[in-house]
Amino acid sequence: MTKLSVNINKIATLRNARGGNMPNVIEVAKDIEKFGGQGITVHPRPDERHIRYDDTRELAKIVTTEFNIEGNPIPKFIDLVLETKPTQVTLVPDAITNITSDAGWNTIKHKDFLTEVVSEFKKNDIRTSIFIDPIPSMIEGAKAINTDRVELYTEAYAKGFENKTKKIAITPYITAAEVALKNELEINAGHDLSLDNIEFFKQNIPGLLEVSIGHALICESLYLGLENVVQMYLRKLI
């Protein structure tokens, strides 16, 4: 079964919009685990516009499944990861001003930098994953960096699925997964995955260990309920 890690950034966005502590991101994380979620993901950004650094510290104390921290490895982020020691850190090359992630790493251009960062995290027993486009040369570049996993950036797939070209859209991801497995890299995926498109993706990607889903899952939960939606994803990921 592919594991479901729920990104709770949007819960924090809702809380921050009003001030106070409603909804409580700590209690929501506990509920997601109780509902069957197999991981909690956060993506703290330098301006703390949704998940705050202190949220991350508190979550590290209570998450009992897998805790995944995503972000651009600027010094402040690296210090946070080394302090909280999550199960996994996912390195994402998002600019400070980005609304959301919009590209994977160029693992060839940034090889030396990423190798240094990955080495530091692995020395601290933190599994590393690199956010990456489904491009074989970038996958091979990730292998040279000595990361444990790659996370396939799935926005292009999601757009193709929505535009009724799912067979064309999935093809680069199948190839990327095959290259990753050939290079003994484990495979995660995330970005714009939803109840509509997750099952087809899961069925076609060999070796898919984990998906990280936040925006769509929280939006779907507004209509269907959080517990119900988590269970629906789990059934599609078997």
Side-chain angles (χ1 to χ4, degrees):
M1 179 178 181
T2 300
K3 288 185 177 181
L4 171 67
S5 186
V6 179
N7 186 319
I8 59 172
N9 278 17
K10 286 301 183 292
I11 299 298
T13 300
L14 183 59
R15 175 200 62 189
N16 296 352
R18 184 67 181 262
N21 199 29
M22 178 186 271
N24 185 311
V25 296
I26 305 300
E27 294 305 316
V28 170
K30 291 178 180 178
D31 286 339
I32 289 168
E33 292 186 319
K34 182 173 67 178
F35 299 155
Q38 296 140 321
I40 300 295
T41 291
V42 294
H43 190 144
R45 286 182 166 84
D47 61 6
E48 300 188 274
R49 62 181 179 265
H50 33 61
I51 284 290
R52 299 167 181 156
Y53 276 50
D54 281 345
D55 292 331
T56 306
R57 293 184 179 97
E58 293 304 308
L59 286 162
K61 298 174 185 176
I62 63 93
V63 171
T64 60
T65 56
E66 291 194 0
F67 189 35
N68 173 46
I69 304 178
E70 298 181 344
N72 195 327
I74 61 174
K76 183 180 179 182
F77 178 86
I78 292 172
D79 290 344
L80 178 69
V81 172
L82 293 176
E83 175 189 347
T84 54
K85 289 187 166 56
T87 314
Q88 176 176 267
V89 57
T90 301
L91 306 181
V92 183
D94 53 346
I96 292 174
T97 56
N98 277 21
I99 294 176
T100 187
S101 307
D102 61 3
W105 284 97
N106 183 326
T107 56
I108 298 170
K109 179 179 179 180
H110 299 287
K111 177 184 176 182
D112 291 343
F113 170 68
L114 289 171
T115 299
E116 182 179 353
V117 173
V118 166
S119 175
E120 182 64 25
F121 289 145
K122 292 183 73 171
K123 282 194 299 186
N124 284 271
D125 297 319
I126 301 167
R127 187 172 72 223
T128 61
S129 180
I130 293 178
F131 193 66
I132 199 164
D133 294 295
I135 301 171
S137 61
M138 295 298 109
I139 304 286
E140 291 165 352
K143 174 63 175 178
I145 291 164
N146 199 34
T147 187
D148 300 298
R149 295 188 180 188
V150 292
E151 178 174 324
L152 299 176
Y153 170 40
T154 50
E155 181 181 13
Y157 161 74
K159 287 183 176 179
F161 190 96
E162 185 177 2
N163 293 329
K164 312 301 183 184
T165 58
K166 63 183 182 181
K167 291 183 178 179
I168 296 172
I170 197 71
T171 300
Y173 293 89
I174 297 171
T175 300
E178 290 170 346
V179 173
L181 293 174
K182 181 180 178 181
N183 283 277
E184 300 181 327
L185 290 169
E186 296 180 325
I187 303 167
N188 297 341
H191 203 92
D192 287 349
L193 295 174
S194 68
L195 283 174
D196 288 336
N197 63 38
I198 187 63
E199 190 169 19
F200 184 75
F201 190 83
K202 153 69 178 177
Q203 289 172 346
N204 284 277
I205 302 303
L208 182 63
L209 294 181
E210 177 182 298
V211 291
S212 174
I213 305 177
H215 183 75
L217 188 151
I218 300 305
C219 292
E220 291 155 348
S221 297
L222 293 175
Y223 292 93
L224 303 173
L226 183 59
E227 181 175 7
N228 185 37
V229 167
V230 169
Q231 291 292 316
M232 292 171 74
Y233 273 101
L234 292 175
R235 288 194 291 271
K236 290 177 180 289
L237 289 168
I238 293 174

